[in-house]
Amino acid sequence: MARPKTARASAPKAFACPFPGCKKMSTCQSGITRHYEMKHTIPEDLRPKTPEPPIQPQPCSPSSPGPDLPQTPHGGSLDSFGSPPHTPAQNPPTSSSPSSSSPSSARRQRTPLGSPQRPYPGPRVNSTGVHIEKHPWIDGSPCDVEGYELEPGDRPATPPPQDPQDYFPFDSRAEFELSEWIYTETQISVNKIDQLFHILTALYPDQPPPAIKHMEVYEKIDSIQGDTPWSSFTINYDGTKTPAADGKPPVWMTQGYEGMIGNPEFNGKIDYGPKIVTKDGKRCYKNVMSGKWAWEQANIIAQDKDCHGAMFALVILGSDKMTVSVATGQTDFYPLYTSLGNIHNSVRCAHKNAVALVGFLAIPKDGCTLKELWDEYGIVGDLLPFMKLFPRADIHELLTPDLLHQVIKGMFKDHLVDWVESFIWDVLCEGNPKEAEAIIADIDRRIACAPPFPGLRHFHEGRGFKQWTGNDSKGLMKVYLPAIAGHLPGSNVKAIANLIEFCYLVRRDVIDDDTLGEIDAALSDFHQNREAFRCVRPDGFSLPRQHSLTHYRRSIELYGAPNGICSSIMENKHIKAVKKPYRCSNRNKPLGQMLITNQRLDKLAAARIDFSSRGMLRGQGFLITFLEKKNWLQQR
C-alpha cells in the first residue's frame, strides 16, 4: 500500500488544477500555477509541427545530422552523444488536446501530460567513476495505479501482505518441495510416482499420504497461479479483424498475449529507460539499454507528450533448430524464445528465468510454399502491412550479431580450422599424405598435452571430436595457436591470431570506445593476413560469416555487448525447454505434451520465487519436519 500523505495543518488544499481530469490540489494558487506549467504545458520544441510533404527517404551517411530533437533539461540535444541518424515517421505521434473526440480521449484526459514532476537529476557517478545518464523523458518514472507520477518522497504501492504459512495450492512446504522434486528433479514416470505414494502409505499408515496418485500432484501444480515466473498482463490486437477463408478471424487476432516484468530476482538488474554510460570520457556499451538504438527510439517516442515518464520495454526474440532424436528418426523442433531487453546481460547469461519459451515455430516441410503455410495458419495477405503497425520493429535493422554461430563456431571452427587442415594437405604436403597425417597428428598431440590449468579444457583426443559445441570451440581457441606454431608459415598463424583476438574483444562484458578501436584493428589485420590462405580459397573470402564481422562495431554501438543477446543463451535453454520435456513424453505427437511440461515447470518456478520472496523457504525444512515426526512418535 502507498504511504498515506500527511495533510498540511496550516491551510486546506482549496485550489484545484484547471486541467480536465487532473486531481491535483494545492494550498495556494502559486502551487497550482507551478504544477500546471510543469505538468500540462507543452514545451515549444515538443509542440506538434506542421507535417511537411512526403519525400522519398535518402540513405544518410554516418556523419549526416540527425532530426531536430527536444532539448534536455540540462541543455543540449538528446542526440548529442553520437547516435546514428534515424528518419522519423512522416507523421510522428503528437499529444491530443483534451477536447479530442477520439475513442481514447477519455482515457487520455485521465492521464496527466507533461514532463516529470521532479527536476532532471543529471548524470549519476557511481563508486567506480562510471557516469550514468538516463534519458530525461523516457525513464520509467514511478507512478500510482492510475498513471499519476508519485510526489517526491512517496513510495510505490506495495502488494498486500500475505500469510507466510500459505503454500496454496499445497498444504505445506514439504508437500511443495516434494512435488517440485518429483516433477523437476527426478522426472520419474507416473507409475513410479504412484509406487512412491503407495510406499509412503505403507510406511506411515497413521498419516494420510501427500497424494494417492500422480494426478493429484499434477492438479496441484496446474492450480498454481501464473504461467511464468513474472507478474503478467494481457494485450490484445485491437485493429480490424479480417476474416479468413472460413469466415472467422485468425487466432492471433483474438487471442490475448501475456507480458512479463515483475520478477523480484531482477530487482536492481533492470533498466527502465535508455542510458548513456561513460568512463574517463569514453562511452561504454554493456546492456541493451546502453546502446544508441534504445536512446534514439526514446527520442522519437518523446515527441508524444503522453509518453513522458513511460518505460521503454524492448523485446528480444530468438529461435534455433533443435534436434532431439536422430537414431529413431530425425525429430527437429524450432523453439521460439523471448526475453525483456531491459534486463541486464548478466542476468540473461546466468539463466535466471530471464528467457521464456513462447512456443514452437511451424517450419514448412519440403515442397510446401510460403503461401500454403500462411493459408494453413490463417495469416491473411502480406506481412508488410502487419509490420507497419510496429514502427520500431524493423526486421532489417534489428538483426543482431550472433557470437556463437558467426564467430565461435562459424569463423573459428567451420572456417579457420578447416583452412588449416586444407593448407596442410594441399600446400605443405602436396602429394605426400603420410607427411600431412603426421603434421595433423602432432597438432592433436600438442592439444592433448596442454597442461592442466584453471580455465583450460583438456582435449584427450586433440581436436578430432565429432560433435562440436560452442564450449568446445572456446576451449580450443585457448590452446590452438601453440599447437599450430612451427607447422604453418607466420602469416597464416597471424591470421588465426587476429581472429581469436577479435573474438575475445567482442565477447567482453563491457566494450568502450578504446575496445572498438582494437576490434577494428584486429579485423583489419585479419583481412590482410588471411590472404595467406588464398591458395585454399581460390574463389575468395566473400562468405556470409566473414562479412558479418564488418557489422559488429555498428551493432555493438546500437545494442550493447553481443554476449547478452547471443544464441548460446538459447542453446542452454534447449535442455530445459526441449530436451527434457521431449524425454518425458511418449514420443507420439510429443509437442502438446512438451508444452504442458513447460507450463508446469514454469508454474513450479513461479511458486518457488513467490515463496522465496515471502521468506517461506528459509532454513532446513526437512529437518523441522523430521523433528516434528519424531516428537509425534514419542507422544504415541
Side-chain angles (χ1 to χ4, degrees):
M1 299 295 292
R3 178 171 57 86
K5 299 181 180 179
T6 303
R8 289 190 178 183
S10 57
K13 293 184 177 181
F15 296 87
C17 177
F19 190 85
C22 184
K23 301 178 181 180
K24 177 68 176 179
M25 302 289 292
S26 179
T27 59
C28 59
Q29 183 60 45
S30 60
I32 289 296
T33 302
R34 289 194 300 269
H35 160 77
Y36 192 93
E37 291 176 351
M38 181 176 293
K39 294 293 296 182
H40 306 306
T41 302
I42 302 177
E44 181 66 30
D45 54 358
L46 287 182
R47 290 180 180 177
K49 306 295 191 304
T50 303
E52 299 178 359
I55 58 175
Q56 293 295 331
Q58 299 294 330
C60 49
S61 63
S63 60
S64 61
D68 293 336
L69 295 170
Q71 302 293 311
T72 61
H74 58 285
S77 171
L78 292 179
D79 197 35
S80 60
F81 297 92
S83 179
H86 181 89
T87 303
Q90 297 296 335
N91 297 305
T94 57
S95 301
S96 301
S97 62
S99 59
S100 173
S101 59
S102 63
S104 61
S105 60
R107 182 177 68 254
R108 288 186 175 180
Q109 288 178 8
R110 287 183 48 79
T111 303
L113 303 178
S115 59
Q117 292 181 357
R118 70 281 183 274
Y120 181 70
R124 177 175 61 88
V125 183
N126 64 15
S127 58
T128 61
V130 176
H131 293 243
I132 302 175
E133 180 170 2
K134 297 183 178 180
H135 198 278
W137 309 110
I138 310 300
D139 59 351
S141 301
C143 61
D144 58 20
V145 294
E146 295 182 349
Y148 289 86
E149 290 190 32
L150 298 177
E151 296 285 353
D154 285 355
R155 298 178 59 87
T158 57
Q162 295 178 306
D163 184 2
Q165 300 298 324
D166 183 10
Y167 290 90
F168 181 83
F170 305 96
D171 296 333
S172 64
R173 172 182 174 178
E175 185 174 308
F176 161 71
E177 294 192 340
L178 176 62
S179 302
E180 185 185 42
W181 177 78
I182 289 175
Y183 201 84
T184 304
E185 300 296 334
T186 62
Q187 298 182 349
I188 56 180
S189 64
V190 295
N191 292 332
K192 292 182 179 179
I193 295 176
D194 295 340
Q195 184 179 5
L196 172 63
F197 290 142
H198 292 164
I199 295 174
L200 292 177
T201 303
L203 283 174
Y204 309 106
D206 297 334
Q207 290 186 357
I212 302 299
K213 300 193 70 176
H214 66 277
M215 284 307 301
E216 294 186 30
V217 178
Y218 292 170
E219 289 173 358
K220 288 190 176 183
I221 296 176
D222 294 336
S223 300
I224 299 175
Q225 299 297 319
D227 293 346
T228 65
W230 296 275
S231 59
S232 60
F233 58 91
T234 303
I235 57 176
N236 298 82
Y237 173 74
D238 60 357
T240 304
K241 295 180 173 61
T242 307
D246 58 356
K248 299 179 180 179
V251 176
W252 65 266
M253 289 186 177
T254 59
Q255 183 178 355
Y257 299 89
E258 290 191 343
M260 351 179 235
I261 194 175
N263 190 331
E265 289 187 347
F266 301 159
N267 185 26
K269 301 175 182 177
I270 185 172
D271 296 318
Y272 298 99
K275 60 184 181 181
I276 295 175
V277 182
T278 58
K279 185 176 183 180
D280 300 330
K282 304 178 183 67
R283 182 158 182 175
C284 302
Y285 303 93
K286 184 177 182 181
N287 304 309
V288 178
M289 297 300 284
S290 66
K292 295 180 179 179
W293 183 85
W295 189 277
E296 176 187 321
Q297 297 302 315
N299 291 345
I300 300 174
I301 297 173
Q303 297 178 26
D304 184 354
K305 199 68 177 295
D306 293 356
C307 297
H308 284 192
M311 173 182 173
F312 182 29
L314 308 180
V315 177
I316 298 176
L317 293 174
S319 181
D320 192 17
K321 177 181 177 181
M322 180 64 198
T323 301
V324 295
S325 177
V326 177
T328 58
Q330 189 78 4
T331 304
D332 299 329
F333 293 98
Y334 296 83
L336 177 65
Y337 300 103
T338 185
S339 178
L340 189 64
N342 307 68
I343 300 172
H344 291 179
N345 291 348
S346 57
V347 180
R348 199 159 26 248
C349 294
H351 318 298
K352 292 186 177 181
N353 296 316
V355 179
L357 176 69
V358 177
F360 291 87
L361 295 177
I363 303 300
K365 300 178 181 178
D366 296 338
C368 177
T369 65
L370 190 60
K371 183 180 184 304
E372 292 172 343
L373 181 65
W374 282 176
D375 294 340
E376 179 181 355
Y377 286 89
I379 301 177
V380 182
D382 192 1
L383 283 180
L384 185 58
F386 175 76
M387 294 304 296
K388 286 184 178 179
L389 300 176
F390 302 93
R392 265 153 276 289
D394 185 351
I395 189 64
H396 303 289
E397 182 185 23
L398 297 180
L399 288 176
T400 58
D402 183 14
L403 292 175
L404 179 64
H405 292 95
Q406 291 176 347
V407 180
I408 299 172
K409 292 179 65 176
M411 278 298 303
F412 177 73
K413 182 260 180 182
D414 293 339
H415 288 185
L416 291 193
V417 175
D418 290 345
W419 289 1
V420 169
E421 188 168 343
S422 299
F423 189 87
I424 293 174
W425 281 90
D426 301 337
V427 180
L428 294 182
C429 305
E430 183 178 3
N432 193 343
K434 291 186 178 180
E435 182 181 358
E437 292 176 357
I439 293 177
I440 294 176
D442 185 62
I443 293 176
D444 286 338
R445 180 188 63 81
R446 292 183 180 183
I447 295 174
C449 291
F453 192 81
L456 288 183
R457 176 177 172 179
H458 187 69
F459 295 91
H460 300 279
E461 300 178 0
R463 55 101 188 94
F465 39 86
K466 297 180 180 179
Q467 183 68 29
W468 282 64
T469 66
N471 290 332
D472 293 334
S473 297
K474 287 185 284 187
L476 189 59
M477 282 184 190
K478 299 178 180 180
V479 297
Y480 195 67
L481 282 178
I484 64 174
H487 289 301
L488 271 69
S491 56
N492 298 75
V493 177
K494 287 181 180 179
I496 299 175
N498 296 146
L499 180 71
I500 294 177
E501 178 68 12
F502 176 89
C503 181
Y504 285 150
L505 290 172
V506 297
R507 284 171 53 195
R508 288 184 177 179
D509 293 333
V510 180
I511 300 176
D512 58 14
D513 291 334
D514 288 345
T515 308
L516 291 177
E518 295 175 14
I519 290 174
D520 290 340
L523 185 60
S524 177
D525 293 342
F526 169 70
H527 287 163
Q528 179 179 354
N529 292 320
R530 71 179 178 182
E531 292 297 324
F533 288 100
R534 175 72 66 174
C535 51
V536 296
R537 289 294 308 173
D539 297 333
F541 303 98
S542 181
L543 303 172
R545 288 169 179 166
Q546 294 203 30
H547 173 74
S548 68
L549 304 185
T550 61
H551 296 284
Y552 266 67
R553 179 190 176 102
R554 178 177 180 272
S555 297
I556 292 170
E557 292 177 333
L558 291 178
Y559 311 115
N563 67 344
I565 48 179
C566 179
S567 61
S568 60
I569 300 174
M570 297 184 298
E571 298 248 348
N572 286 287
K573 189 75 174 181
H574 282 340
I575 299 175
K576 177 182 176 182
V578 182
K579 282 188 176 181
K580 289 184 177 180
Y582 178 79
R583 294 168 184 167
C584 293
S585 70
N586 59 12
R587 274 64 163 184
N588 180 24
K589 297 181 179 180
L591 186 56
Q593 303 170 54
M594 294 166 62
L595 292 175
I596 293 176
T597 300
N598 274 284
Q599 184 181 34
R600 288 171 175 167
L601 290 174
D602 287 341
K603 285 179 177 289
L604 286 169
R608 171 160 285 278
I609 291 176
D610 179 32
F611 296 153
S612 298
S613 64
R614 291 153 58 186
M616 299 166 60
L617 300 180
R618 297 175 182 172
Q620 298 293 332
F622 292 119
L623 177 61
I624 297 175
T625 303
F626 173 77
L627 293 177
E628 291 177 350
K629 177 69 175 180
K630 183 178 180 180
N631 294 334
W632 178 78
L633 292 175
Q634 291 177 350
Q635 292 176 2
R636 293 185 60 191

